Amino acid sequence: QQLRRRFRSLQRALHPDRFGRRPPTERLYSEQHSALVNKAYQTLLHPLSRGLYLLELSGIQLAQETDSDADSEFLMEIMEINEKLAEPSNEGNLEEIETLIKAKQEQLTKEVTTAFERDDLQEAKKLLAKMKYFANLEDKVKNKKIPS
Amino acid sequence: GPAQVVDHYENPRNVGSLDRNAKNVGTGLVGAPACGDVMKLQVEVDENGKIIDARFKTFGCGSAIASSSLATEWVKGKTVDEALKIRNTDIAKELCLPPVKLHCSMLAEDAIKAALADYKLKQDPKKEESEKK
């Protein structure tokens, strides 16, 4: 709620439409800042991107390389959901899979919040990595729903 | 060249699973957090230590799928020790992967190593444990 209000009030002040008759420099600033406000809003709106941004502020990124101490039970779970999703016979069960993914994401979001509150950035990093796998699954479900 | 990535992506070889409970099957399961790719690679080894079959399942980008497809092709016919020498740079070169996709070939190399480590552990759990110390 607060985020949305802040976003709106910034855009009211900065939107290029308000600067139509202003000099070129002001129009340029308006465009740049307005675009930045959009980007900031989108980043902060979604738990995964928000969490990753918070980590970035502390100089932490998700590992580019293979995760060698990955929880192998967790990876198996991700594999299984992917396999279910890939089965043509499950096309009718998309909602079931989608509900499962949402539930997992909500749970992880709560855990990430707790980690940040405790200032346990390494724990937050691990949990956000897990959220990344679920975000990919969420995208795949969305793509399956688009009629081809 | 570029055709190879497309070929391994559109016609990946060896997609599937082996029986993870079989004593002569090694299973490697790896993930790349930054992109959320997950890769499972399995090898079946004969009594002479030679890899006679390999399968993979990868959920991720085309380069990850192509890398694991190529990895399963390459391990077949090699001994366990020979397969451990496969480097991600060889995979990347063969597939002409761009720099931004190099981590995909690394994921495949790590999957091979994980599968072979799992196989070795199953052959002699006590020995593996003592070698680790």
Side-chain angles (χ1 to χ4, degrees), chain A residues 48-60:
Chain A
L48 175 57
S49 52
R50 184 166 75 232
L52 291 176
Y53 183 66
L54 286 174
L55 282 185
E56 199 185 305
L57 290 176
S58 295
I60 298 172

Side-chain angles (χ1 to χ4, degrees), chain B residues 51-68:
Chain B
I51 298 168
I52 50 175
D53 204 1
R55 294 273 188 276
F56 81 95
K57 274 197 188 173
T58 295
F59 295 100
C61 66
S63 296
I65 293 170
S67 297
S68 41

Side-chain angles (χ1 to χ4, degrees), chain A residues 19-33:
Chain A
F19 289 78
R21 293 200 191 168
R22 302 300 298 165
T25 314
E26 281 187 43
R27 287 208 305 271
L28 177 65
Y29 285 163
S30 146
E31 270 169 35
Q32 288 176 333
H33 286 267

Side-chain angles (χ1 to χ4, degrees), chain B residues 11-89:
Chain B
N11 304 298
R13 324 291 158 74
N14 314 311
V15 175
S17 292
L18 298 169
D19 178 8
R20 69 183 301 131
N21 296 315
K23 190 181 175 189
N24 66 335
V25 168
T27 300
L29 183 56
V30 293
C35 53
D37 287 353
V38 57
M39 187 184 287
K40 179 180 76 167
L41 192 146
Q42 293 178 297
V43 292
E44 185 182 336
V45 185
D46 73 9
E47 55 289 345
N48 299 314
K50 194 164 118 176
I51 298 168
I52 50 175
D53 204 1
R55 294 273 188 276
F56 81 95
K57 274 197 188 173
T58 295
F59 295 100
C61 66
S63 296
I65 293 170
S67 297
S68 41
S69 169
L70 187 64
T72 52
E73 294 250 280
W74 275 3
V75 296
K76 283 197 209 179
K78 289 192 161 67
T79 63
V80 168
D81 289 336
E82 285 166 354
L84 281 171
K85 293 185 184 155
I86 295 172
R87 291 275 98 74
N88 69 309
T89 42

Side-chain angles (χ1 to χ4, degrees), chain A residues 4 18 36 44 46 54 75 77 83 103 105 114-115 142:
Chain A
R4 192 152 178 74
R18 304 192 85 219
L36 185 57
L44 297 176
H46 307 288
L54 286 174
L75 288 180
E77 184 186 11
E83 284 170 346
Q105 287 174 312
T114 305
K142 279 189 192 147

